[in-house]
Amino acid sequence: MSFLYEVLEPLPTADAALARARALCSEFGEWTGDPFDPQLGPVVTADQFHYARQHFTYGDFRRADGARIPEDGLHEFWTTIFRGRALRGGDPWRVEVELVPELAEIWPLLVEWGLTLELPYYRSPLYATDADQYCTESDLDTMVRAAGPLGFEVEWDVALRGLPYTKLCGVQLCLNSEWTSQSADPAPGRHAVYLSVGTKNRDVQDAWLASTGLTLGPALLGW
């Protein structure tokens, strides 16, 4: 497993973060692959929900920790869903709903309940690639614009100049999200870029990171 290191620089906008990620690929890479595995994050605020309704008709409520949705203690949640006639289906781990306006009422309680709303983004015309696939830089520009305030992440495989091994080396971009441990978590308004130093460079990675001249955050479990 690789380690990721955040590049600690002000990144006030998604465009600025995307440009910085590409600049890192260019500055430190012998070669760079196409953007890989772009993903939208879950909806965690009412503002994100209102934006999502412009582009999506339905989504799935799930537990943020991946557990089953509890049968008790969600009276207001179910009342709002049934009042809006939003229920489409589901199972013990998810509740599929139409994105009706009434659902905006359950924020910020949704966070207290440990629930998030996931979108079927691979079925959206805003999305330019299938799951777990590479895309073009032009497609990535389109997806970042379409994501707006929603969480978004993508990675590039990069052969980092000066490191002996290339496996799992690259650059990670997180928009309205942040890398925590092996995944990106929602963080509305926060944008970040990370260097991944691979799995076989432990003996030289500290010296290499120091040589970049970048101010970096602590090591995070990565890809």
Side-chain angles (χ1 to χ4, degrees):
M1 181 174 296
S2 178
F3 286 116
L4 265 59
Y5 295 83
E6 182 180 358
V7 179
L8 299 176
E9 298 175 2
L11 299 170
T13 66
D15 286 341
L18 175 58
R20 188 65 181 111
R22 286 170 168 161
L24 290 172
C25 294
S26 176
E27 182 177 357
F28 297 107
E30 291 282 358
W31 56 259
T32 300
D34 288 333
F36 177 67
D37 197 21
Q39 298 183 35
L40 280 180
V43 174
V44 296
T45 70
D47 287 342
Q48 289 181 337
F49 175 75
H50 289 304
Y51 182 84
R53 288 193 67 244
Q54 301 175 39
H55 304 291
F56 299 89
T57 59
Y58 71 96
D60 289 338
F61 284 113
R62 297 176 183 265
R63 281 286 299 268
D65 60 7
R68 295 165 66 106
I69 294 176
E71 298 179 2
D72 300 320
L74 296 178
H75 175 74
E76 188 170 349
F77 172 74
W78 289 110
T79 297
T80 304
I81 287 176
F82 288 126
R83 186 175 69 249
R85 297 182 178 179
L87 186 65
R88 285 172 52 118
D91 56 44
W93 288 269
R94 67 182 183 90
V95 177
E96 185 176 315
V97 293
E98 298 284 344
L99 301 188
V100 298
E102 289 85 351
L103 295 182
E105 300 172 12
I106 60 178
W107 275 275
L109 289 175
L110 193 74
V111 178
E112 296 181 16
W113 297 329
L115 300 177
T116 60
L117 176 64
E118 296 186 3
L119 301 169
Y121 53 92
Y122 291 122
R123 300 179 187 178
S124 167
L126 301 176
Y127 228 69
T129 184
D130 294 326
D132 297 325
Q133 294 292 321
Y134 293 95
C135 67
T136 68
E137 293 288 349
S138 178
D139 286 340
L140 181 60
D141 288 334
T142 299
M143 287 186 278
V144 168
R145 286 193 299 269
L150 301 173
F152 182 87
E153 61 169 301
V154 67
E155 64 190 67
W156 291 260
D157 294 324
V158 183
L160 296 173
R161 190 178 299 111
L163 288 178
Y165 299 100
T166 63
K167 183 178 180 180
L168 297 184
C169 287
V171 172
Q172 172 78 36
L173 171 67
C174 293
L175 304 178
N176 292 298
S177 60
E178 60 187 358
W179 196 268
T180 53
S181 177
Q182 296 184 259
S183 65
D185 286 344
R190 171 162 156 70
H191 313 303
V193 295
Y194 305 81
L195 284 172
S196 176
V197 295
T199 58
K200 297 183 178 181
N201 296 309
R202 301 293 164 80
D203 293 342
V204 298
Q205 68 185 33
D206 290 345
W208 184 87
L209 289 168
S211 74
T212 65
L214 300 169
T215 302
L216 301 169
L220 302 168
L221 289 178
W223 305 337

mmCIF file of all heavy atoms in Angstrom, residues 20-67:
data_model
loop_
_atom_site.group_PDB
_atom_site.id
_atom_site.type_symbol
_atom_site.label_atom_id
_atom_site.label_comp_id
_atom_site.label_asym_id
_atom_site.label_seq_id
_atom_site.Cartn_x
_atom_site.Cartn_y
_atom_site.Cartn_z
ATOM 1 N N ARG A 20 -3.210 22.690 -10.024
ATOM 2 C CA ARG A 20 -2.037 22.322 -9.221
ATOM 3 C C ARG A 20 -1.741 20.833 -9.355
ATOM 4 O O ARG A 20 -0.570 20.432 -9.431
ATOM 5 C CB ARG A 20 -2.278 22.669 -7.747
ATOM 6 C CG ARG A 20 -1.026 22.495 -6.896
ATOM 7 C CD ARG A 20 0.047 23.467 -7.313
ATOM 8 N NE ARG A 20 1.285 23.326 -6.554
ATOM 9 C CZ ARG A 20 2.439 22.875 -7.055
ATOM 10 N NH1 ARG A 20 2.493 22.498 -8.333
ATOM 11 N NH2 ARG A 20 3.518 22.813 -6.309
ATOM 12 N N ALA A 21 -2.763 20.001 -9.379
ATOM 13 C CA ALA A 21 -2.536 18.574 -9.560
ATOM 14 C C ALA A 21 -1.844 18.309 -10.886
ATOM 15 O O ALA A 21 -0.886 17.510 -10.957
ATOM 16 C CB ALA A 21 -3.867 17.826 -9.485
ATOM 17 N N ARG A 22 -2.287 18.947 -11.938
ATOM 18 C CA ARG A 22 -1.662 18.751 -13.242
ATOM 19 C C ARG A 22 -0.226 19.275 -13.252
ATOM 20 O O ARG A 22 0.662 18.670 -13.879
ATOM 21 C CB ARG A 22 -2.496 19.440 -14.316
ATOM 22 C CG ARG A 22 -3.779 18.690 -14.641
ATOM 23 C CD ARG A 22 -4.699 19.499 -15.509
ATOM 24 N NE ARG A 22 -5.782 18.675 -16.053
ATOM 25 C CZ ARG A 22 -6.914 19.175 -16.545
ATOM 26 N NH1 ARG A 22 -7.114 20.499 -16.553
ATOM 27 N NH2 ARG A 22 -7.840 18.363 -17.016
ATOM 28 N N ALA A 23 -0.001 20.389 -12.543
ATOM 29 C CA ALA A 23 1.354 20.935 -12.481
ATOM 30 C C ALA A 23 2.305 19.982 -11.763
ATOM 31 O O ALA A 23 3.472 19.838 -12.157
ATOM 32 C CB ALA A 23 1.336 22.297 -11.780
ATOM 33 N N LEU A 24 1.828 19.308 -10.718
ATOM 34 C CA LEU A 24 2.661 18.322 -10.023
ATOM 35 C C LEU A 24 3.024 17.168 -10.949
ATOM 36 O O LEU A 24 4.166 16.689 -10.946
ATOM 37 C CB LEU A 24 1.931 17.800 -8.788
ATOM 38 C CG LEU A 24 1.753 18.772 -7.618
ATOM 39 C CD1 LEU A 24 0.847 18.153 -6.557
ATOM 40 C CD2 LEU A 24 3.096 19.148 -7.007
ATOM 41 N N CYS A 25 2.052 16.713 -11.719
ATOM 42 C CA CYS A 25 2.327 15.644 -12.685
ATOM 43 C C CYS A 25 3.427 16.068 -13.659
ATOM 44 O O CYS A 25 4.337 15.289 -13.970
ATOM 45 C CB CYS A 25 1.063 15.285 -13.458
ATOM 46 S SG CYS A 25 -0.264 14.547 -12.472
ATOM 47 N N SER A 26 3.345 17.293 -14.133
ATOM 48 C CA SER A 26 4.310 17.790 -15.109
ATOM 49 C C SER A 26 5.679 18.020 -14.484
ATOM 50 O O SER A 26 6.718 17.670 -15.067
ATOM 51 C CB SER A 26 3.781 19.090 -15.726
ATOM 52 O OG SER A 26 4.722 19.647 -16.616
ATOM 53 N N GLU A 27 5.681 18.596 -13.269
ATOM 54 C CA GLU A 27 6.943 18.972 -12.630
ATOM 55 C C GLU A 27 7.748 17.773 -12.158
ATOM 56 O O GLU A 27 8.983 17.748 -12.271
ATOM 57 C CB GLU A 27 6.667 19.903 -11.448
ATOM 58 C CG GLU A 27 7.917 20.407 -10.743
ATOM 59 C CD GLU A 27 7.611 21.389 -9.630
ATOM 60 O OE1 GLU A 27 6.411 21.722 -9.437
ATOM 61 O OE2 GLU A 27 8.568 21.810 -8.953
ATOM 62 N N PHE A 28 7.073 16.751 -11.639
ATOM 63 C CA PHE A 28 7.780 15.640 -11.007
ATOM 64 C C PHE A 28 7.675 14.322 -11.766
ATOM 65 O O PHE A 28 8.268 13.334 -11.344
ATOM 66 C CB PHE A 28 7.267 15.446 -9.575
ATOM 67 C CG PHE A 28 7.522 16.627 -8.683
ATOM 68 C CD1 PHE A 28 6.490 17.463 -8.306
ATOM 69 C CD2 PHE A 28 8.810 16.915 -8.248
ATOM 70 C CE1 PHE A 28 6.724 18.562 -7.495
ATOM 71 C CE2 PHE A 28 9.058 18.011 -7.426
ATOM 72 C CZ PHE A 28 8.019 18.842 -7.055
ATOM 73 N N GLY A 29 6.958 14.308 -12.871
ATOM 74 C CA GLY A 29 6.724 13.049 -13.557
ATOM 75 C C GLY A 29 7.605 12.828 -14.774
ATOM 76 O O GLY A 29 7.782 13.734 -15.592
ATOM 77 N N GLU A 30 8.149 11.611 -14.887
ATOM 78 C CA GLU A 30 8.791 11.202 -16.139
ATOM 79 C C GLU A 30 7.716 10.954 -17.196
ATOM 80 O O GLU A 30 7.899 11.267 -18.365
ATOM 81 C CB GLU A 30 9.594 9.918 -15.917
ATOM 82 C CG GLU A 30 10.817 10.082 -15.043
ATOM 83 C CD GLU A 30 11.982 10.714 -15.785
ATOM 84 O OE1 GLU A 30 11.848 11.000 -16.993
ATOM 85 O OE2 GLU A 30 13.029 10.930 -15.150
ATOM 86 N N TRP A 31 6.626 10.353 -16.778
ATOM 87 C CA TRP A 31 5.449 10.199 -17.628
ATOM 88 C C TRP A 31 4.207 10.179 -16.740
ATOM 89 O O TRP A 31 4.280 9.890 -15.547
ATOM 90 C CB TRP A 31 5.504 8.938 -18.486
ATOM 91 C CG TRP A 31 5.678 7.652 -17.739
ATOM 92 C CD1 TRP A 31 6.820 6.938 -17.581
ATOM 93 C CD2 TRP A 31 4.657 6.909 -17.040
ATOM 94 N NE1 TRP A 31 6.607 5.802 -16.837
ATOM 95 C CE2 TRP A 31 5.282 5.764 -16.488
ATOM 96 C CE3 TRP A 31 3.304 7.097 -16.821
ATOM 97 C CZ2 TRP A 31 4.590 4.813 -15.735
ATOM 98 C CZ3 TRP A 31 2.608 6.154 -16.075
ATOM 99 C CH2 TRP A 31 3.238 5.027 -15.540
ATOM 100 N N THR A 32 3.075 10.527 -17.328
ATOM 101 C CA THR A 32 1.805 10.598 -16.597
ATOM 102 C C THR A 32 0.725 9.896 -17.394
ATOM 103 O O THR A 32 0.565 10.152 -18.599
ATOM 104 C CB THR A 32 1.389 12.054 -16.346
ATOM 105 O OG1 THR A 32 2.404 12.709 -15.582
ATOM 106 C CG2 THR A 32 0.062 12.130 -15.596
ATOM 107 N N GLY A 33 -0.020 9.014 -16.718
ATOM 108 C CA GLY A 33 -1.142 8.356 -17.372
ATOM 109 C C GLY A 33 -2.362 9.263 -17.448
ATOM 110 O O GLY A 33 -2.385 10.358 -16.876
ATOM 111 N N ASP A 34 -3.369 8.798 -18.157
ATOM 112 C CA ASP A 34 -4.624 9.547 -18.212
ATOM 113 C C ASP A 34 -5.284 9.542 -16.836
ATOM 114 O O ASP A 34 -5.052 8.652 -16.012
ATOM 115 C CB ASP A 34 -5.575 8.913 -19.222
ATOM 116 C CG ASP A 34 -5.142 9.138 -20.657
ATOM 117 O OD1 ASP A 34 -4.463 10.148 -20.912
ATOM 118 O OD2 ASP A 34 -5.474 8.294 -21.519
ATOM 119 N N PRO A 35 -6.143 10.521 -16.558
ATOM 120 C CA PRO A 35 -6.887 10.518 -15.284
ATOM 121 C C PRO A 35 -7.644 9.210 -15.105
ATOM 122 O O PRO A 35 -8.234 8.681 -16.049
ATOM 123 C CB PRO A 35 -7.849 11.701 -15.433
ATOM 124 C CG PRO A 35 -7.210 12.592 -16.450
ATOM 125 C CD PRO A 35 -6.503 11.675 -17.398
ATOM 126 N N PHE A 36 -7.605 8.693 -13.867
ATOM 127 C CA PHE A 36 -8.165 7.372 -13.604
ATOM 128 C C PHE A 36 -9.189 7.418 -12.478
ATOM 129 O O PHE A 36 -9.007 8.106 -11.472
ATOM 130 C CB PHE A 36 -7.043 6.400 -13.214
ATOM 131 C CG PHE A 36 -7.530 5.020 -12.859
ATOM 132 C CD1 PHE A 36 -8.089 4.194 -13.821
ATOM 133 C CD2 PHE A 36 -7.458 4.557 -11.553
ATOM 134 C CE1 PHE A 36 -8.547 2.928 -13.500
ATOM 135 C CE2 PHE A 36 -7.914 3.287 -11.219
ATOM 136 C CZ PHE A 36 -8.467 2.475 -12.196
ATOM 137 N N ASP A 37 -10.276 6.665 -12.661
ATOM 138 C CA ASP A 37 -11.285 6.410 -11.630
ATOM 139 C C ASP A 37 -11.875 7.681 -11.031
ATOM 140 O O ASP A 37 -11.898 7.849 -9.807
ATOM 141 C CB ASP A 37 -10.674 5.544 -10.520
ATOM 142 C CG ASP A 37 -11.739 4.903 -9.639
ATOM 143 O OD1 ASP A 37 -12.889 4.787 -10.095
ATOM 144 O OD2 ASP A 37 -11.426 4.541 -8.492
ATOM 145 N N PRO A 38 -12.380 8.606 -11.854
ATOM 146 C CA PRO A 38 -13.046 9.785 -11.289
ATOM 147 C C PRO A 38 -14.340 9.380 -10.586
ATOM 148 O O PRO A 38 -15.094 8.554 -11.084
ATOM 149 C CB PRO A 38 -13.327 10.654 -12.520
ATOM 150 C CG PRO A 38 -13.403 9.679 -13.655
ATOM 151 C CD PRO A 38 -12.425 8.583 -13.322
ATOM 152 N N GLN A 39 -14.583 9.975 -9.422
ATOM 153 C CA GLN A 39 -15.760 9.613 -8.629
ATOM 154 C C GLN A 39 -16.375 10.850 -7.990
ATOM 155 O O GLN A 39 -15.668 11.726 -7.505
ATOM 156 C CB GLN A 39 -15.385 8.637 -7.513
ATOM 157 C CG GLN A 39 -14.841 7.318 -7.972
ATOM 158 C CD GLN A 39 -14.570 6.390 -6.799
ATOM 159 O OE1 GLN A 39 -15.285 6.393 -5.802
ATOM 160 N NE2 GLN A 39 -13.526 5.602 -6.908
ATOM 161 N N LEU A 40 -17.696 10.866 -7.952
ATOM 162 C CA LEU A 40 -18.411 11.850 -7.148
ATOM 163 C C LEU A 40 -18.571 11.324 -5.731
ATOM 164 O O LEU A 40 -18.821 10.135 -5.531
ATOM 165 C CB LEU A 40 -19.805 12.128 -7.724
ATOM 166 C CG LEU A 40 -19.926 13.073 -8.905
ATOM 167 C CD1 LEU A 40 -21.394 13.186 -9.308
ATOM 168 C CD2 LEU A 40 -19.366 14.447 -8.591
ATOM 169 N N GLY A 41 -18.444 12.208 -4.757
ATOM 170 C CA GLY A 41 -18.652 11.818 -3.377
ATOM 171 C C GLY A 41 -20.121 11.903 -2.992
ATOM 172 O O GLY A 41 -20.976 12.353 -3.768
ATOM 173 N N PRO A 42 -20.458 11.488 -1.772
ATOM 174 C CA PRO A 42 -21.848 11.534 -1.312
ATOM 175 C C PRO A 42 -22.306 12.962 -1.044
ATOM 176 O O PRO A 42 -21.511 13.860 -0.805
ATOM 177 C CB PRO A 42 -21.799 10.718 -0.012
ATOM 178 C CG PRO A 42 -20.402 10.880 0.476
ATOM 179 C CD PRO A 42 -19.552 10.923 -0.750
ATOM 180 N N VAL A 43 -23.610 13.150 -1.074
ATOM 181 C CA VAL A 43 -24.234 14.437 -0.741
ATOM 182 C C VAL A 43 -24.346 14.527 0.779
ATOM 183 O O VAL A 43 -24.974 13.674 1.414
ATOM 184 C CB VAL A 43 -25.628 14.545 -1.387
ATOM 185 C CG1 VAL A 43 -26.343 15.810 -0.944
ATOM 186 C CG2 VAL A 43 -25.500 14.487 -2.907
ATOM 187 N N VAL A 44 -23.734 15.569 1.370
ATOM 188 C CA VAL A 44 -23.722 15.668 2.826
ATOM 189 C C VAL A 44 -24.273 16.992 3.348
ATOM 190 O O VAL A 44 -24.349 17.187 4.557
ATOM 191 C CB VAL A 44 -22.300 15.451 3.389
ATOM 192 C CG1 VAL A 44 -21.820 14.036 3.102
ATOM 193 C CG2 VAL A 44 -21.321 16.473 2.836
ATOM 194 N N THR A 45 -24.667 17.920 2.465
ATOM 195 C CA THR A 45 -25.254 19.189 2.901
ATOM 196 C C THR A 45 -26.504 19.484 2.080
ATOM 197 O O THR A 45 -26.687 18.958 0.974
ATOM 198 C CB THR A 45 -24.277 20.371 2.733
ATOM 199 O OG1 THR A 45 -24.097 20.646 1.332
ATOM 200 C CG2 THR A 45 -22.925 20.069 3.374
ATOM 201 N N ALA A 46 -27.347 20.358 2.607
ATOM 202 C CA ALA A 46 -28.558 20.750 1.878
ATOM 203 C C ALA A 46 -28.205 21.469 0.582
ATOM 204 O O ALA A 46 -28.877 21.293 -0.446
ATOM 205 C CB ALA A 46 -29.429 21.635 2.765
ATOM 206 N N ASP A 47 -27.159 22.308 0.595
ATOM 207 C CA ASP A 47 -26.748 22.997 -0.629
ATOM 208 C C ASP A 47 -26.340 22.001 -1.709
ATOM 209 O O ASP A 47 -26.686 22.172 -2.882
ATOM 210 C CB ASP A 47 -25.590 23.948 -0.336
ATOM 211 C CG ASP A 47 -26.027 25.181 0.440
ATOM 212 O OD1 ASP A 47 -27.244 25.467 0.459
ATOM 213 O OD2 ASP A 47 -25.151 25.854 1.021
ATOM 214 N N GLN A 48 -25.598 20.972 -1.319
ATOM 215 C CA GLN A 48 -25.233 19.944 -2.290
ATOM 216 C C GLN A 48 -26.477 19.222 -2.809
ATOM 217 O O GLN A 48 -26.557 18.887 -3.992
ATOM 218 C CB GLN A 48 -24.268 18.937 -1.654
ATOM 219 C CG GLN A 48 -22.870 19.479 -1.402
ATOM 220 C CD GLN A 48 -21.964 18.434 -0.791
ATOM 221 O OE1 GLN A 48 -22.416 17.466 -0.177
ATOM 222 N NE2 GLN A 48 -20.662 18.618 -0.933
ATOM 223 N N PHE A 49 -27.446 18.992 -1.927
ATOM 224 C CA PHE A 49 -28.678 18.321 -2.350
ATOM 225 C C PHE A 49 -29.420 19.147 -3.400
ATOM 226 O O PHE A 49 -29.873 18.618 -4.422
ATOM 227 C CB PHE A 49 -29.583 18.067 -1.147
ATOM 228 C CG PHE A 49 -30.920 17.494 -1.511
ATOM 229 C CD1 PHE A 49 -31.036 16.167 -1.887
ATOM 230 C CD2 PHE A 49 -32.057 18.286 -1.504
ATOM 231 C CE1 PHE A 49 -32.269 15.634 -2.245
ATOM 232 C CE2 PHE A 49 -33.291 17.758 -1.857
ATOM 233 C CZ PHE A 49 -33.396 16.433 -2.235
ATOM 234 N N HIS A 50 -29.549 20.446 -3.151
ATOM 235 C CA HIS A 50 -30.249 21.302 -4.122
ATOM 236 C C HIS A 50 -29.519 21.283 -5.471
ATOM 237 O O HIS A 50 -30.167 21.280 -6.531
ATOM 238 C CB HIS A 50 -30.355 22.725 -3.588
ATOM 239 C CG HIS A 50 -31.314 22.873 -2.444
ATOM 240 N ND1 HIS A 50 -32.640 22.483 -2.529
ATOM 241 C CD2 HIS A 50 -31.138 23.359 -1.184
ATOM 242 C CE1 HIS A 50 -33.240 22.721 -1.370
ATOM 243 N NE2 HIS A 50 -32.361 23.250 -0.548
ATOM 244 N N TYR A 51 -28.193 21.284 -5.436
ATOM 245 C CA TYR A 51 -27.433 21.214 -6.687
ATOM 246 C C TYR A 51 -27.641 19.860 -7.371
ATOM 247 O O TYR A 51 -27.850 19.795 -8.586
ATOM 248 C CB TYR A 51 -25.946 21.436 -6.411
ATOM 249 C CG TYR A 51 -25.105 21.424 -7.667
ATOM 250 C CD1 TYR A 51 -24.957 22.572 -8.438
ATOM 251 C CD2 TYR A 51 -24.467 20.259 -8.096
ATOM 252 C CE1 TYR A 51 -24.198 22.565 -9.591
ATOM 253 C CE2 TYR A 51 -23.713 20.246 -9.258
ATOM 254 C CZ TYR A 51 -23.579 21.399 -9.995
ATOM 255 O OH TYR A 51 -22.834 21.379 -11.150
ATOM 256 N N ALA A 52 -27.598 18.784 -6.585
ATOM 257 C CA ALA A 52 -27.752 17.449 -7.162
ATOM 258 C C ALA A 52 -29.100 17.291 -7.865
ATOM 259 O O ALA A 52 -29.191 16.597 -8.889
ATOM 260 C CB ALA A 52 -27.598 16.399 -6.070
ATOM 261 N N ARG A 53 -30.143 17.918 -7.333
ATOM 262 C CA ARG A 53 -31.472 17.791 -7.939
ATOM 263 C C ARG A 53 -31.529 18.364 -9.354
ATOM 264 O O ARG A 53 -32.421 18.004 -10.138
ATOM 265 C CB ARG A 53 -32.528 18.484 -7.069
ATOM 266 C CG ARG A 53 -32.844 17.761 -5.783
ATOM 267 C CD ARG A 53 -34.112 18.315 -5.131
ATOM 268 N NE ARG A 53 -35.293 18.037 -5.936
ATOM 269 C CZ ARG A 53 -36.049 18.970 -6.506
ATOM 270 N NH1 ARG A 53 -35.751 20.263 -6.388
ATOM 271 N NH2 ARG A 53 -37.113 18.632 -7.204
ATOM 272 N N GLN A 54 -30.596 19.252 -9.697
ATOM 273 C CA GLN A 54 -30.576 19.803 -11.047
ATOM 274 C C GLN A 54 -30.108 18.777 -12.084
ATOM 275 O O GLN A 54 -30.378 18.932 -13.274
ATOM 276 C CB GLN A 54 -29.651 21.021 -11.103
ATOM 277 C CG GLN A 54 -30.033 22.153 -10.168
ATOM 278 C CD GLN A 54 -29.011 23.271 -10.195
ATOM 279 O OE1 GLN A 54 -28.467 23.615 -11.247
ATOM 280 N NE2 GLN A 54 -28.728 23.842 -9.037
ATOM 281 N N HIS A 55 -29.395 17.740 -11.618
ATOM 282 C CA HIS A 55 -28.760 16.816 -12.553
ATOM 283 C C HIS A 55 -29.130 15.351 -12.339
ATOM 284 O O HIS A 55 -28.821 14.515 -13.194
ATOM 285 C CB HIS A 55 -27.243 16.955 -12.446
ATOM 286 C CG HIS A 55 -26.750 18.354 -12.679
ATOM 287 N ND1 HIS A 55 -26.808 18.967 -13.905
ATOM 288 C CD2 HIS A 55 -26.222 19.266 -11.818
ATOM 289 C CE1 HIS A 55 -26.301 20.195 -13.809
ATOM 290 N NE2 HIS A 55 -25.949 20.391 -12.553
ATOM 291 N N PHE A 56 -29.742 15.037 -11.201
ATOM 292 C CA PHE A 56 -30.070 13.652 -10.885
ATOM 293 C C PHE A 56 -31.522 13.558 -10.432
ATOM 294 O O PHE A 56 -32.046 14.485 -9.811
ATOM 295 C CB PHE A 56 -29.163 13.106 -9.775
ATOM 296 C CG PHE A 56 -27.705 13.105 -10.126
ATOM 297 C CD1 PHE A 56 -26.912 14.208 -9.854
ATOM 298 C CD2 PHE A 56 -27.136 12.007 -10.742
ATOM 299 C CE1 PHE A 56 -25.571 14.217 -10.185
ATOM 300 C CE2 PHE A 56 -25.791 12.001 -11.073
ATOM 301 C CZ PHE A 56 -25.010 13.113 -10.801
ATOM 302 N N THR A 57 -32.152 12.432 -10.724
ATOM 303 C CA THR A 57 -33.546 12.246 -10.330
ATOM 304 C C THR A 57 -33.694 11.367 -9.097
ATOM 305 O O THR A 57 -34.725 11.416 -8.430
ATOM 306 C CB THR A 57 -34.356 11.622 -11.478
ATOM 307 O OG1 THR A 57 -33.777 10.360 -11.837
ATOM 308 C CG2 THR A 57 -34.352 12.550 -12.694
ATOM 309 N N TYR A 58 -32.688 10.554 -8.801
ATOM 310 C CA TYR A 58 -32.808 9.658 -7.654
ATOM 311 C C TYR A 58 -31.440 9.407 -7.039
ATOM 312 O O TYR A 58 -30.383 9.764 -7.605
ATOM 313 C CB TYR A 58 -33.458 8.330 -8.047
ATOM 314 C CG TYR A 58 -32.594 7.416 -8.896
ATOM 315 C CD1 TYR A 58 -31.851 6.395 -8.307
ATOM 316 C CD2 TYR A 58 -32.523 7.574 -10.275
ATOM 317 C CE1 TYR A 58 -31.063 5.559 -9.073
ATOM 318 C CE2 TYR A 58 -31.740 6.739 -11.048
ATOM 319 C CZ TYR A 58 -31.015 5.736 -10.449
ATOM 320 O OH TYR A 58 -30.234 4.909 -11.212
ATOM 321 N N GLY A 59 -31.428 8.789 -5.866
ATOM 322 C CA GLY A 59 -30.188 8.443 -5.181
ATOM 323 C C GLY A 59 -30.474 7.431 -4.087
ATOM 324 O O GLY A 59 -31.621 7.032 -3.864
ATOM 325 N N ASP A 60 -29.412 7.031 -3.379
ATOM 326 C CA ASP A 60 -29.521 6.032 -2.308
ATOM 327 C C ASP A 60 -29.046 6.625 -0.992
ATOM 328 O O ASP A 60 -27.909 7.124 -0.909
ATOM 329 C CB ASP A 60 -28.649 4.808 -2.606
ATOM 330 C CG ASP A 60 -29.187 3.958 -3.735
ATOM 331 O OD1 ASP A 60 -30.395 4.039 -4.006
ATOM 332 O OD2 ASP A 60 -28.394 3.211 -4.335
ATOM 333 N N PHE A 61 -29.877 6.564 0.036
ATOM 334 C CA PHE A 61 -29.411 6.851 1.390
ATOM 335 C C PHE A 61 -28.719 5.593 1.920
ATOM 336 O O PHE A 61 -29.245 4.482 1.813
ATOM 337 C CB PHE A 61 -30.573 7.219 2.307
ATOM 338 C CG PHE A 61 -31.086 8.612 2.099
ATOM 339 C CD1 PHE A 61 -32.354 8.840 1.584
ATOM 340 C CD2 PHE A 61 -30.303 9.704 2.435
ATOM 341 C CE1 PHE A 61 -32.827 10.121 1.395
ATOM 342 C CE2 PHE A 61 -30.765 11.001 2.243
ATOM 343 C CZ PHE A 61 -32.023 11.208 1.726
ATOM 344 N N ARG A 62 -27.528 5.795 2.505
ATOM 345 C CA ARG A 62 -26.771 4.701 3.093
ATOM 346 C C ARG A 62 -26.134 5.171 4.397
ATOM 347 O O ARG A 62 -25.983 6.378 4.617
ATOM 348 C CB ARG A 62 -25.659 4.218 2.149
ATOM 349 C CG ARG A 62 -26.156 3.646 0.835
ATOM 350 C CD ARG A 62 -24.990 3.286 -0.067
ATOM 351 N NE ARG A 62 -25.420 2.803 -1.368
ATOM 352 C CZ ARG A 62 -25.564 1.523 -1.696
ATOM 353 N NH1 ARG A 62 -25.301 0.591 -0.779
ATOM 354 N NH2 ARG A 62 -25.957 1.162 -2.904
ATOM 355 N N ARG A 63 -25.748 4.233 5.226
ATOM 356 C CA ARG A 63 -24.966 4.559 6.409
ATOM 357 C C ARG A 63 -23.549 4.922 5.975
ATOM 358 O O ARG A 63 -22.947 4.226 5.153
ATOM 359 C CB ARG A 63 -24.924 3.383 7.376
ATOM 360 C CG ARG A 63 -26.163 3.202 8.224
ATOM 361 C CD ARG A 63 -26.226 4.259 9.335
ATOM 362 N NE ARG A 63 -25.081 4.166 10.240
ATOM 363 C CZ ARG A 63 -25.068 3.443 11.355
ATOM 364 N NH1 ARG A 63 -26.147 2.745 11.692
ATOM 365 N NH2 ARG A 63 -23.998 3.433 12.121
ATOM 366 N N ALA A 64 -23.002 5.981 6.543
ATOM 367 C CA ALA A 64 -21.649 6.402 6.182
ATOM 368 C C ALA A 64 -20.616 5.341 6.538
ATOM 369 O O ALA A 64 -19.568 5.239 5.890
ATOM 370 C CB ALA A 64 -21.309 7.718 6.876
ATOM 371 N N ASP A 65 -20.890 4.524 7.556
ATOM 372 C CA ASP A 65 -19.944 3.483 7.967
ATOM 373 C C ASP A 65 -20.192 2.147 7.281
ATOM 374 O O ASP A 65 -19.535 1.157 7.582
ATOM 375 C CB ASP A 65 -19.969 3.305 9.487
ATOM 376 C CG ASP A 65 -21.347 2.889 10.012
ATOM 377 O OD1 ASP A 65 -22.258 2.609 9.196
ATOM 378 O OD2 ASP A 65 -21.509 2.847 11.248
ATOM 379 N N GLY A 66 -21.135 2.104 6.347
ATOM 380 C CA GLY A 66 -21.410 0.886 5.606
ATOM 381 C C GLY A 66 -22.304 -0.110 6.315
ATOM 382 O O GLY A 66 -22.579 -1.184 5.774
ATOM 383 N N ALA A 67 -22.775 0.214 7.515
ATOM 384 C CA ALA A 67 -23.615 -0.706 8.280
ATOM 385 C C ALA A 67 -25.058 -0.678 7.765
ATOM 386 O O ALA A 67 -25.433 0.135 6.913
ATOM 387 C CB ALA A 67 -23.581 -0.335 9.763
#
